[in-house]
Amino acid sequence: MKKIINKTDDIIEEMLRGLVASYPHLVHRVEDSRVVAKNQEKKQVALVSGGGSGHEPSHAGFVGDGMLSAAVAGDVFTSPTPDQIQIAMKEADQGEGVLLIVKNYTGDNLNFEMAQEMAEMEDIHSEIVVVDDDIAVEDSEFTAGKRGVAGTVLVHKILGDAARAGASLDELKKRGDDVVKKIKTIGLALRAATVPEVGKPGFELAEDEIEYGVGIHGEAGYRREKIQPSKELAKELTTKILADYEEQPKKVGVLVNGMGGTPLMEQFIFMNDVLNLLKEQNIAVTFHKVGNYMTSLDMEGVSLTLIDLADETLKEALESEVTTISW
Amino acid sequence: MQLTVKEVQNWFEKFTDKIKENKGYLSDLDTPIGDGDHGNNMARGVAAYEASFEQKQPETISETFQVFSMAMISKVGGASGPLYGSALMNMVKETKGIDTIDAYEQLGEIVAQGLAGIKKRGKTEFEDKTMVDVWEPVTQALKAGSLDKDQIEKAKEHTKGLIAKKGRASYLGERSKGHIDPGAASSALFFDALVEVIQ
């Protein structure tokens, strides 16, 4: 394992220090915590998100005007703990309540629910929006539901815009649940991530193999096969996502997300292929985004997210100006 | 049998040692079906328990459970933190005002409350391939009047043949078979430590 780190125990602390010191005009650190919060507050419902570290720029990269009020960093690929989430909720709350945006993983759900119960005792009202955009996993009685992955970033943006415009906690909860249903994602990996504390890749893939449907912590996907040209990879993911919509959308937004170890060059090539495929199907793309947003440490691979943009207000929300580190 | 606050603290001390010794083993179990960090996460929790214990030694059984519970909730993260934390928190309530645990049956009732906490928090049932698969048979054994390491080992091994229905392992479906559940394995250490204290 080769990584630019010091002691593995200090990774999160040192990352947060570096991040906050680099963008002091946008964010600050809540003392003795793993919470990064935005500097200027105006009266609105607070949006708090977070999750394991290793997904940078998620989640602190999206703290700022028009997106998140605060983000909580857990250990690498491990949900933050309830006391830390509670600190973020207290820091962000301005009396209008707190909306928690949580990716659908068992650990995240449990910790955010516990935090919610603890905050309730201090009269902080909150709601949870659970994002489960990963269609690689079927939602059946044998799984803990679908996973929450890169589509979460779009939820941050859309709800951030609504919160800034003065939506109430109930309205945001409703809008969030509604938006999540319109977002679908699948990922693919060329090489697994190496968690620093573990020191070796989370799974083995042969030099010429890829895996479709991996999660953002390297959870297994649905199929392994020999690497193919980008066109074929794009076809597999696009077809699968479109098939998952009850009715094929006419207008979509596209997010091609790098997993951390894949150059932008390859991400743009992949985006080009996706856009061509959508054009063939007469689907209009009215919003585009390419880059590393929900990474998986140094995993090589990409994920594709589509969002149904039949509702014009969603496109407007995605395009509104924000002041964050990474949007 | 009789457990005073001294034995309960001895129980957690032994558990702490076992987690430290088995940190690599637990993370290795977690690698094929999770993300390989259960050992590290649990180690952070027991280290936090040790630190608060050194700062101020709890004086009652209930208080000891409380310190342990808070350490797990605030330091472990993932699913294991709130699950162990919820179990222990229920055991805090069940032991309020008690100086000693005098019978297997009583201990069984306390552990049963812990199990109820895990099931409620995790919305988990027996044979979902989770820590419940160890806690449930242990509860029954205690209530029936005995507990030994073979029973614990058997419960842990039983998770190997199950398909995971909860947590990250559930995404593997059939492929989760053939692997011991890491939470069941750390729970086995928890009750192994208890057996050593009872004997």
Side-chain angles (χ1 to χ4, degrees), chain A residues 91-142:
Chain A
E91 176 75 11
D93 182 46
Q94 297 157 68
E96 307 288 307
V98 180
L99 185 79
L100 301 169
I101 303 171
V102 182
K103 293 186 295 311
N104 195 29
Y105 280 98
T106 309
D108 291 271
N109 280 326
L110 296 182
N111 285 287
F112 276 87
E113 279 167 19
M114 266 187 120
Q116 196 179 22
E117 286 170 24
M118 287 156 67
E120 199 61 42
M121 287 191 278
E122 298 197 26
D123 291 323
I124 298 175
H125 299 299
S126 61
E127 291 282 357
I128 295 186
V129 168
V130 177
V131 184
D132 60 349
D133 55 320
D134 190 345
I135 61 152
V137 175
E138 279 179 42
D139 189 3
S140 76
E141 62 172 316
F142 294 109

Side-chain angles (χ1 to χ4, degrees), chain A residues 212-234:
Chain A
Y212 287 118
V214 289
I216 52 172
H217 314 97
E219 305 92 302
Y222 60 84
R223 197 169 83 230
R224 262 178 200 204
E225 61 180 40
K226 294 255 187 267
I227 177 89
Q228 310 229 30
S230 167
K231 256 180 217 169
E232 297 303 317
L233 305 177

